[in-house]
Amino acid sequence: MENFTNKQINFDILKERAHNLRWAEVPDGVIPLTAADHDFPCAPEVVEALMDYIKDGYFPYIENRGMERFKEDLAKSFRERKNEPVEAKYVLPIDSAARGMQVIADAFLQPGDECLVFDPVDFLFRTSMSNAGATIKLFPSNLKEDRISLEGLENYITPKTKMIGFCNPHNPMGMLYTKEDLDYLLTLSEKYGFYIMNDEIWSDMIYPEAHFNSLLEFGPERNKRTLTVYGFSKTFGVAGLRIGCVYATNQENYDKLVEASMVDSTIGGINLLSQVAGIACLEKGFYRVDQFVQQITENRDYALQRIAAMPGIKCHKPQATFVIFPDITETGMDPVELVELLKTKYKLAIVPGGERFFGPGSEGHVRICLATSHEVLEEGLNRLEACLKDLMSAK
């Protein structure tokens, strides 16, 4: 893609500002295909909106529960792009999807409650629920015929199960759930009375041959216990602005979210400028999102082609997200050890599977981010291939 080459990346700025395992935190010469963040600048319309807003020099207090225009724009985009019947009055803007997950946990969990978390999945499910005092029980996320199987899920539910964490699209496996899967999960929620923490932060990053279905498509009546979290970092490349929201399907649950967030006390709440940027993203930025999906599609297909020719590694084809999750068990190395070897000797940083980031079910895997130029990705894969060839030839 013409708009997503090395010419559009300012590597000097990334080396200064891009943290969370990325350019600013790795030694010079190391390529970080690590945290799921863009190497490209955000849409210019977002920059223009921020500059236009700040020029008058006024930064007053704003509505505790978020700007009405921002909430209306959010609800509109969910309805039009994802067929989700979200009402603006039940949308609560929040300072990042990660914070939104903690607000949901704090609002609906008590010490002694039990939560069911898929394994592997992003660590924030376990972190937010544990912080609220709940006990975590892991359900294995097994791939069967290019889908994550929910077979046996009901057997993991106990009288203490208060909440299930649901990541759709799934990070790090990059897979989507079918409408039959979603119907089944809602049926279990209705039968046993547990809440669903529904993480849809990746729901705009869908590859062209796939289709995203949301729990919310089944309507508010069936989603009485569904609490959804969304963020702007993956879709719009504005992670540092910490723009997110949580939304409920009824007044009772919305009120609980508000109380847990502490926005009415002004202790909690989303930044004014983050909402200004968020409005610009929603009203003027989706053209760039669609272009970016084309870029990551090309990157995904190229990465899978390259990996298929490398020794000691294999990878399924993700349907969504801009990360891939290769299996490296044939190398015989622990993922943490392989990642350290890659960084120190071959100058490539990626994310290891294992307990820290994704849970014990991610052992034997690594995660690689594709949100960069073809040039950067190609060189990163060259370094991965060199490492694997050296490893496998020495066996």
Side-chain angles (χ1 to χ4, degrees):
M1 290 289 296
E2 184 178 342
N3 292 329
F4 297 98
T5 68
N6 272 2
K7 293 180 181 179
Q8 282 73 45
I9 300 176
N10 189 322
F11 291 99
D12 290 335
I13 289 180
L14 288 176
K15 284 295 294 182
E16 178 184 342
R17 303 180 187 177
H19 290 267
N20 194 18
L21 305 178
R22 288 184 12 91
W23 296 94
E25 296 185 5
V26 297
D28 287 341
V30 172
I31 292 176
L33 303 178
T34 47
D37 195 11
H38 299 219
D39 277 350
F40 304 101
C42 67
E45 291 83 356
V46 178
V47 178
E48 292 166 6
L50 287 168
M51 294 179 67
D52 184 62
Y53 192 91
I54 67 176
K55 69 179 186 300
D56 295 322
Y58 281 90
F59 305 97
Y61 288 110
I62 56 172
E63 304 97 312
N64 290 343
R65 302 184 185 189
M67 294 178 177
E68 290 302 319
R69 181 176 171 185
F70 184 43
K71 292 188 285 187
E72 290 286 352
D73 282 350
L74 280 163
K76 180 181 178 183
S77 75
F78 297 141
R79 290 192 301 267
E80 293 181 352
R81 291 182 66 91
K82 287 174 277 196
N83 194 32
E84 298 181 0
V86 175
E87 295 187 60
K89 64 181 179 180
Y90 298 143
V91 174
L92 180 66
I94 203 76
D95 56 326
S96 79
R99 174 64 181 149
M101 295 173 78
Q102 188 62 63
V103 166
I104 291 171
D106 290 343
F108 295 93
L109 297 176
Q110 299 290 332
D113 289 338
E114 191 173 271
C115 292
L116 198 52
V117 174
F118 287 36
D119 179 35
V121 79
D122 186 88
F123 71 95
L124 287 170
F125 284 96
R126 289 176 290 146
T127 299
S128 60
M129 293 169 174
S130 297
N131 285 345
T135 300
I136 306 300
K137 189 174 183 179
L138 298 179
F139 171 73
S141 301
N142 295 319
L143 270 181
K144 292 185 178 179
E145 299 178 356
D146 293 329
R147 63 188 288 188
I148 298 174
S149 174
L150 299 186
E151 183 180 353
L153 178 62
E154 188 170 8
N155 298 331
Y156 282 73
I157 298 170
T158 75
K160 290 185 177 182
T161 303
K162 187 68 173 291
M163 181 176 287
I164 285 183
F166 190 62
C167 188
N168 185 30
H170 187 280
N171 171 30
M173 297 171 79
M175 305 306 287
L176 298 166
Y177 293 91
T178 65
K179 294 199 76 170
E180 291 76 17
D181 293 331
L182 303 177
D183 178 65
Y184 174 60
L185 182 59
L186 288 175
T187 299
L188 292 179
S189 176
E190 292 163 336
K191 180 178 179 179
Y192 293 101
F194 58 76
Y195 292 95
I196 301 172
M197 181 188 290
N198 179 39
D199 174 10
E200 295 189 355
I201 192 172
W202 287 100
S203 56
D204 295 303
M205 297 289 102
I206 311 299
Y207 291 111
E209 75 280 2
H211 177 74
F212 170 72
N213 292 296
S214 170
L215 285 169
L216 298 175
E217 292 178 39
F218 289 84
E221 186 63 26
R222 295 203 63 196
N223 281 279
K224 288 180 179 179
R225 298 177 184 86
T226 301
L227 297 313
T228 301
V229 60
Y230 176 79
F232 281 52
S233 58
K234 314 310 177 193
T235 301
F236 298 103
V238 289
L241 290 174
R242 298 185 66 83
I243 313 172
C245 68
V246 290
Y247 39 102
T249 59
N250 55 67
Q251 189 66 47
E252 180 182 358
N253 286 348
Y254 173 76
D255 290 343
K256 290 179 179 179
L257 291 172
V258 169
E259 182 179 2
S261 69
M262 304 187 77
V263 294
D264 282 348
S265 69
T266 72
I267 291 176
I270 185 173
N271 185 283
L272 160 66
L273 294 181
S274 294
Q275 292 179 88
V276 171
I279 290 169
C281 287
L282 294 166
E283 295 183 358
K284 301 177 181 180
F286 274 114
Y287 78 93
R288 189 168 178 83
V289 174
D290 296 335
Q291 292 176 352
F292 184 63
V293 170
Q294 294 180 50
Q295 166 71 10
I296 61 172
T297 301
E298 293 176 7
N299 280 358
R300 177 200 63 172
D301 294 345
Y302 173 71
L304 293 179
Q305 177 187 357
R306 289 288 307 276
I307 285 174
M310 296 181 192
I313 190 171
K314 59 185 177 180
C315 189
H316 68 274
K317 185 177 183 178
Q319 301 163 328
T321 77
F322 49 74
V323 296
I324 55 175
F325 194 52
D327 182 330
I328 50 95
T329 52
E330 289 185 16
T331 66
M333 289 196 71
D334 176 83
V336 174
E337 294 176 353
L338 177 61
V339 166
E340 183 62 23
L341 174 66
L342 278 166
K343 185 168 68 172
T344 55
K345 185 175 180 180
Y346 296 88
K347 306 302 181 184
L348 173 66
I350 57 177
V351 179
E355 177 70 26
R356 178 183 175 189
F357 292 110
F358 308 114
S362 64
E363 289 290 351
H365 292 75
V366 293
R367 197 188 74 171
I368 300 173
C369 179
L370 306 174
T372 189
S373 67
H374 176 84
E375 298 97 318
V376 170
L377 179 62
E378 180 179 22
E379 178 56 29
L381 292 173
N382 288 344
R383 298 178 187 190
L384 175 64
E385 183 173 30
C387 175
L388 293 173
K389 285 183 174 180
D390 288 347
L391 277 176
M392 301 308 287
S393 64
K395 294 189 76 171

